[in-house]
Amino acid sequence: MKLTLKIWRQNGANDKGGLVDYKLDGVSPDMSFLEMLDMLNEQIINEGGEPVAFDHDCREGICGMCSLYINGEAHGPDRGVTTCQLHMRMFKDGDTIFIEPFRASAFPVIKDLIVDRTSFDRIQHAGGFISVNTSGNTQDANSLPISKHAADEAMDAATCIGCGACVATCKNSSAMLFVGAKVSQYALLPQGQVEATDRVKNMVAQMDLEGFGNCTNTGACEVECPKGISLDNIARMNRELMKASV
Amino acid sequence: MSGFFNSSIGRKVAMALSAFFLMFFLLQHFAINILSIFNPDVFNEVSHFMGTNPLVQYALQPVLIFGVVFHFVMGFVLELRNKKANGIKYAKNNGAANSSWMSRNMIYSGIAILAFVVLHFIDFWIPEINTKYIVGDMSGLHNGEFRYFHELVEKFENPLRVVAYVIAFVFLALHLLHGFTSAFQSMGATAGRKKTLQNIGKAYSIIIPLGFIVIALFHHFNH
């Protein structure tokens, strides 16, 4: 495959940045999108240029590290996959592909396609945990009965890998799908009840403080989420906050 | 509780609550206006009651004005905040791949509705206030007959007004097609995603605006 790539290059947070065109030949349809970028970087290095900086780690779709806004969609045109699992067979020979970083005021660019997503970490620190003593006297898991339905829903919410695609794709740069999932995974379980009030209040407060936008229920986040996190989690978070505030 | 309404979720809830109120108002407004097609006498009676009843005029009317103003102001405030949260625009953004046109353009359908509301104020509300509270004529009569039906028919003689009506109600339908279920979702109803509520939403969003359009066209072509 022969491709034209329009890639966002930005040398540091203070640089203005812009799209740069690259030609890449000999791309196999079996390559992952990141392997294609590896190939491009080899070409750039061989030509004496500076490789394109992009985030990646596990390359098997579970770490939440890879990002990229590809041809106008978070994690590209495929559904239910992260960029590392997106394959070049989704594109055609001769295609022009736009590759941009995830955009949001709360996700400032560090370099090229790498953005700072530590705002998600700070939201987690604000309440995305349960306080239990794990120093050798952990309770038996079966001593707390949990319904299959609640366990399934909590697990579904917990599959959020915090990649930030929801924010990137949202026209309001809202982080509510992420925070909704993180609130839900505890709200559905008895272990999460003790700190439920503080958790939702503190996480929503931190989300607002980080400068994420307001959800308008377009549902784009749910469609683009590589883990299929449901919009129901946002509704649950709204209910949790209402409950915690009255 | 004040902290709640200052949070992003609280603002969504406030938008949803004002939306529920406005949707309820729209329903009763429609119920009254449709009477003009079936029974002008009843339409006159109900219009006179709504126009002169102290509870409607001094209690419900201010609440309505507050609801309308609040929904618009909050809508603009949220839009500006969201724009600020956006950062740099994408060079290529494929919004149609993951969301409906209606959901992405609530601000524009909202602006079109606002333009209509302003027109409706100038066209209907200000002359009504003038007749009733400045001239002081609370009788609702003109040449010994109730004036309401006659005035309504007169308004729809002008084709420009009819066209403005039709356009405005098309935008209202577009606004409601997202807004109805969105308001339920904001209130925490996961049912917003279930078929029943979606179908009720679709029916409401199409039938009510279409009904208003039919009323305008009926009187334009029938008199």
Side-chain angles (χ1 to χ4, degrees):
Chain A
M1 290 167 83
K2 215 176 190 168
L3 299 170
T4 303
L5 305 168
K6 287 180 175 293
I7 301 179
W8 184 265
R9 302 299 310 260
Q10 183 176 338
N11 194 16
N14 298 322
D15 184 28
K16 196 167 165 281
L19 288 172
V20 177
D21 287 12
Y22 295 95
K23 298 268 182 220
L24 191 61
D25 201 355
V27 176
S28 158
D30 296 329
M31 279 180 177
S32 77
F33 200 84
L34 296 186
E35 284 167 343
M36 183 277 291
L37 284 180
D38 291 338
M39 188 181 165
L40 172 75
N41 274 344
E42 263 179 55
Q43 179 182 304
I44 294 173
I45 292 166
N46 288 339
E47 288 167 357
E50 183 159 334
V52 178
F54 61 90
D55 265 328
H56 61 101
D57 192 5
C58 76
R59 296 207 177 196
E60 51 189 24
I62 55 162
C63 76
M65 202 59 211
C66 62
S67 56
L68 306 186
Y69 213 71
I70 302 160
N71 269 354
E73 284 185 79
H75 295 299
D78 209 354
R79 290 285 171 261
V81 295
T82 50
T83 294
C84 62
Q85 293 187 310
L86 174 70
H87 283 82
M88 295 315 293
R89 66 183 78 100
M90 293 297 292
F91 301 90
K92 291 194 301 289
D93 186 35
D95 270 3
T96 298
I97 306 173
F98 281 75
I99 309 170
E100 298 174 77
F102 280 180
R103 297 285 190 203
S105 299
F107 285 172
V109 171
I110 296 171
K111 186 177 168 65
D112 295 339
L113 301 169
I114 298 179
V115 296
D116 182 352
R117 288 171 281 180
T118 50
S119 45
F120 269 18
D121 298 341
R122 290 188 290 274
I123 294 172
Q124 277 289 70
H125 295 167
F129 51 81
I130 55 165
S131 305
V132 284
N133 186 354
T134 54
S135 56
N137 50 1
T138 321
Q139 253 188 327
D140 182 80
N142 294 320
S143 62
L144 279 174
I146 297 165
S147 78
K148 172 85 171 108
H149 181 69
D152 283 351
E153 276 200 89
M155 189 60 210
D156 285 347
T159 56
C160 167
I161 52 176
C163 66
C166 46
V167 173
T169 198
C170 177
K171 78 176 192 66
N172 312 312
S173 303
S174 168
M176 286 200 192
L177 194 67
F178 167 74
V179 183
K182 296 301 170 197
V183 166
S184 287
Q185 74 183 60
Y186 297 114
L188 287 156
L189 300 175
Q191 292 93 331
Q193 299 312 310
V194 185
E195 292 152 305
T197 307
D198 285 346
R199 176 178 306 112
V200 68
K201 278 185 169 176
N202 293 343
M203 289 182 84
V204 169
Q206 189 63 34
M207 169 179 79
D208 292 348
L209 196 67
E210 296 289 348
F212 290 105
N214 301 270
C215 170
T216 56
N217 304 316
T218 68
C221 52
E222 180 186 56
V223 176
E224 298 292 349
C225 174
K227 296 295 156 188
I229 301 294
S230 160
L231 225 48
D232 285 356
N233 290 297
I234 299 181
R236 187 177 294 107
M237 171 176 63
N238 294 358
R239 290 199 301 273
E240 286 290 314
L241 188 70
M242 281 189 254
K243 253 194 322 201
S245 303
V246 287
Chain B
M1 206 60 195
S2 70
F4 173 71
F5 282 109
N6 277 328
S7 72
S8 51
I9 293 172
R11 288 189 213 104
K12 280 174 57 154
V13 168
M15 269 311 259
L17 289 174
S18 56
F20 282 139
F21 172 72
L22 293 176
M23 288 194 288
F24 182 74
F25 163 74
L26 200 67
L27 193 67
Q28 69 85 25
H29 195 328
F30 173 71
I32 295 171
N33 281 30
I34 197 81
L35 289 172
S36 68
I37 290 183
F38 299 113
N39 195 331
D41 291 335
V42 180
F43 173 76
N44 272 330
E45 292 288 342
V46 178
S47 300
H48 187 66
F49 172 80
M50 295 301 278
T52 52
N53 183 282
L55 186 71
V56 175
Q57 287 292 301
Y58 302 122
L60 297 181
Q61 187 162 261
V63 174
L64 172 65
I65 293 168
F66 175 77
V68 170
V69 172
F70 178 85
H71 195 73
F72 279 117
V73 171
M74 198 63 166
F76 284 117
V77 167
L78 289 175
E79 179 70 14
L80 290 175
R81 280 172 169 270
N82 291 341
K83 281 275 161 291
K84 209 176 128 202
N86 276 167
I88 298 167
K89 267 193 150 185
Y90 288 112
K92 185 167 183 181
N93 191 15
N94 189 5
N98 50 43
S99 53
S100 68
W101 185 91
M102 286 80 83
S103 73
R104 281 176 281 122
N105 292 284
M106 290 296 274
I107 190 73
Y108 299 111
S109 52
I111 288 170
I113 298 162
L114 176 62
F116 173 78
V117 169
V118 170
L119 208 70
H120 192 48
F121 249 58
I122 297 167
D123 207 27
F124 167 78
W125 197 73
I126 292 175
E128 272 297 302
I129 293 294
N130 182 50
T131 308
K132 287 186 298 199
Y133 301 110
I134 295 169
V135 177
D137 178 10
M138 296 291 277
S139 71
L141 300 173
H142 181 72
N143 293 336
E145 280 180 21
F146 270 140
R147 59 184 167 85
Y148 308 105
F149 180 74
H150 180 68
E151 279 177 2
L152 176 99
V153 170
E154 217 171 41
K155 293 268 188 217
F156 289 127
E157 273 172 14
N158 186 345
L160 284 178
R161 187 180 273 115
V162 176
V163 169
Y165 251 73
V166 171
I167 294 171
F169 282 106
V170 168
F171 276 107
L172 180 66
L174 294 172
H175 200 74
L176 287 168
L177 277 169
H178 174 67
F180 189 94
T181 43
S182 178
F184 280 95
Q185 167 93 21
S186 289
M187 291 304 294
T190 40
R193 296 165 35 69
K194 295 201 175 103
K195 273 274 165 278
T196 321
L197 199 56
Q198 276 179 342
N199 288 339
I200 296 171
K202 266 185 204 150
Y204 179 94
S205 312
I206 293 167
I207 292 170
I208 303 287
L210 191 67
F212 275 107
I213 291 173
V214 167
I215 295 167
L217 293 176
F218 177 85
H219 292 300
H220 179 70
F221 290 112
N222 226 31
H223 298 281

